[in-house]
Amino acid sequence: MTLTEELSAWAAGVRFGDVPGDVVEVAKLQILSQCAAIRYGAAHPLGRRLVAGFGEPLQQDSRRSAYVLAGLGSWLHFDDTAYAGHLSNSTVAVPMAYAAGQRLDGAGLLTSVVVATECAARVTAAVTLGPFRGQTAAHTHVAGAVAGRLRGAGVPAELWANAFGLGLGLPPRTVIAGFLGGDSKVFSASTPVAVGLDACDAAEAGFTGCRDLLENPDGFLRAFAELPLPQAVTECLGERWHTRTTSFKVHPGGPGMDTAVDCGIELYRELGAVRAGDIESVEVATSLYTALVARWAQERMCGPDSPVGALVFALPYLLATTLLTGELTVADFTAPALEEPERWELADRVRIVLDEQMTYDLFHSLVPFGQGLRQAGDRAAEWLAEFGARWEGDGRWLVDLVGELPPPSRDFRDVRKVTPSRVTVRLRDGRSATRQQDVPVGGVGATGGTPTAALVREKFLGAGGSKEVADRIAELERVPAEEIPGLLRAALA
């Protein structure tokens, strides 16, 4: 069997009873958290434009609904992350859009979400050591849309294989200038979802896809990975559950910046309501990944007129806002908050410093890179050297720093997302304060603090969701099919 055929056979055969209980619980949180992200996205002016142009989140046309849900939940970077990818924009959005038409009960909806998450994560993991990762990996949502729709339809594996082959045969590729420099980011999940759904329609009409598309020398892995990991697609199916690696976002904003914002919130509580003029300097020590993303975003920044696509990655603005207000919310990405001169004044004094120990910890963590590097084995040095060169000079410094890696995880039960930051604020009156956070609040593997389920519930309620809906989603496997459409409408209304 080819990789596509093996993945398709597994996905078509999974039943709710095959999914471990802890994975089911994470899937419920995925649904609740993604509903919150969609609600927040719809409340922003860009979200309102998306609805005006393409319709309400839930509409009779399931395909159109999936398109809108994917867009609303993704572009503020308030969506959840996993190893590998920002999955829920397709793996939750598409099953929700098709749930009513497919007459799914709660267990069926959860099964669709889990299977879609596993398929999309595995395809993404196979090319994660490549030029596209995170939200720039549009192919994630081609796979997520195919699996999210076909699992609920109950079609045979043959049709899955054709749909995967068709969709991943012509997947979108992200152009970074457009992703950061305009409003294209709003469609970074919607467009590939549409490609995946078109592939399903084509497969149902009898079109065939390339069966060895993934591993073919001229296939998907070679086109999208600098260091392909074909074993990631099918290894440990039914044992290595990628859903377990899900981290839940409690603030909007880009990758690795959650911990800096977490530190900013703690510093605000310690220092009180300081003004920009009270602060002499802000230093953020962080890993190579976060520092690079912040550098890329900075090239697109132009104060209050900055595109939202770059703004959500702009660590100086995110941290300055947090230090001045004690929080980071969707309202901080639009007027009038965005036009406050004090935020930009303080952002200009935020200095980002590369920390080698944090970089070591990042790459040794299973999420977001460690699992892929471990699967690559001796080949990992090649990719690390190229990645290190993006910061400065000869990238061999990163190879030497990371050193030997342990073996890959077999079941993701020990997973942690280590994306560290240390923030130091120096005030003009001579005081200073420092906070460090290794795993973000809501991140997989976080210890202490508020339990993840409570954080996700708080996120949903903060977005205007009701306690009754949150309670019902917490017992989703017991919800009958006739209640699902009303529950989803209430979750998104």
Side-chain angles (χ1 to χ4, degrees), residues 6 122 230-237 240 371 375 408 410:
E6 189 174 348
R122 285 171 171 275
Q231 71 272 34
V233 179
T234 56
E235 193 175 70
C236 301
L237 276 167
R240 179 185 292 152
Q371 177 75 359
Q375 288 181 310
R410 186 167 183 85

Side-chain angles (χ1 to χ4, degrees), residues 257-272 281-286 319 322-323 355 358 419-426 431-439 441:
M257 298 172 189
D258 312 67
T259 49
V261 173
D262 293 335
C263 291
I265 291 171
E266 291 299 316
L267 288 166
Y268 179 87
R269 291 169 181 164
E270 177 180 346
L271 299 173
S281 66
V282 180
E283 181 180 281
V284 185
T286 191
L319 186 54
T322 306
L323 291 170
D355 186 285
M358 290 180 178
T419 53
S421 296
R422 182 175 59 254
V423 178
T424 300
V425 176
R426 296 180 177 87
R431 289 183 295 152
S432 67
T434 300
R435 285 288 183 277
Q436 179 168 332
Q437 185 91 7
D438 293 330
V439 178
V441 174

Side-chain angles (χ1 to χ4, degrees), residues 61-133:
D61 183 343
S62 298
R63 187 183 187 284
R64 192 79 157 186
S65 181
Y67 187 93
V68 174
L69 289 170
L72 291 176
S74 64
W75 64 273
L76 276 171
H77 238 81
F78 216 163
D79 55 325
D80 307 314
T81 62
Y83 182 79
H86 290 242
L87 307 172
S88 297
N89 298 308
S90 56
T91 68
V92 172
V94 172
M96 288 199 306
Y98 280 83
Q102 293 177 341
R103 293 197 53 76
L104 298 181
D105 59 12
L109 176 57
L110 285 165
T111 305
S112 290
V113 169
V114 170
V115 171
T117 295
E118 296 301 318
C119 290
R122 285 171 171 275
V123 169
T124 307
V127 293
T128 197
L129 301 181
F132 305 109
R133 65 185 53 85

Side-chain angles (χ1 to χ4, degrees), residues 215-234:
E215 64 267 47
N216 190 291
D218 293 318
F220 174 78
L221 297 189
R222 182 171 181 179
F224 279 83
E226 293 152 353
L227 196 61
L229 302 171
Q231 71 272 34
V233 179
T234 56

Side-chain angles (χ1 to χ4, degrees), residues 119-151:
C119 290
R122 285 171 171 275
V123 169
T124 307
V127 293
T128 197
L129 301 181
F132 305 109
R133 65 185 53 85
Q135 285 199 352
T136 67
H139 47 267
T140 297
H141 303 302
V142 176
V146 168
R149 173 171 161 181
L150 295 186
R151 177 58 263 175

Side-chain angles (χ1 to χ4, degrees), residues 187-348:
F187 304 99
S188 62
S190 298
T191 297
V193 160
V195 171
L197 297 178
D198 281 347
C200 292
D201 287 339
E204 289 174 345
F207 287 82
T208 59
C210 177
R211 294 306 180 87
D212 68 342
L213 176 78
L214 296 177
E215 64 267 47
N216 190 291
D218 293 318
F220 174 78
L221 297 189
R222 182 171 181 179
F224 279 83
E226 293 152 353
L227 196 61
L229 302 171
Q231 71 272 34
V233 179
T234 56
E235 193 175 70
C236 301
L237 276 167
E239 182 180 1
R240 179 185 292 152
W241 294 90
H242 285 249
T243 305
R244 285 185 174 129
T245 70
T246 305
S247 289
F248 295 96
K249 298 290 288 288
V250 297
H251 340 280
M257 298 172 189
D258 312 67
T259 49
V261 173
D262 293 335
C263 291
I265 291 171
E266 291 299 316
L267 288 166
Y268 179 87
R269 291 169 181 164
E270 177 180 346
L271 299 173
V274 296
R275 307 284 17 116
D278 302 326
I279 298 175
E280 182 176 326
S281 66
V282 180
E283 181 180 281
V284 185
T286 191
S287 72
L288 174 62
Y289 183 41
T290 303
L292 277 174
V293 172
R295 176 192 283 181
W296 294 332
Q298 195 59 37
E299 296 171 358
R300 302 286 173 181
M301 296 302 291
C302 49
D305 296 323
S306 300
V308 176
L311 198 62
V312 294
F313 299 107
L315 181 52
Y317 174 79
L318 304 183
L319 186 54
T321 295
T322 306
L323 291 170
L324 292 173
T325 67
E327 60 183 354
L328 183 67
T329 71
V330 171
D332 294 314
F333 296 93
T334 188
L338 199 55
E339 297 170 346
E340 293 177 4
E342 190 176 24
R343 300 185 184 209
W344 298 101
E345 177 190 342
L346 182 55
D348 286 340

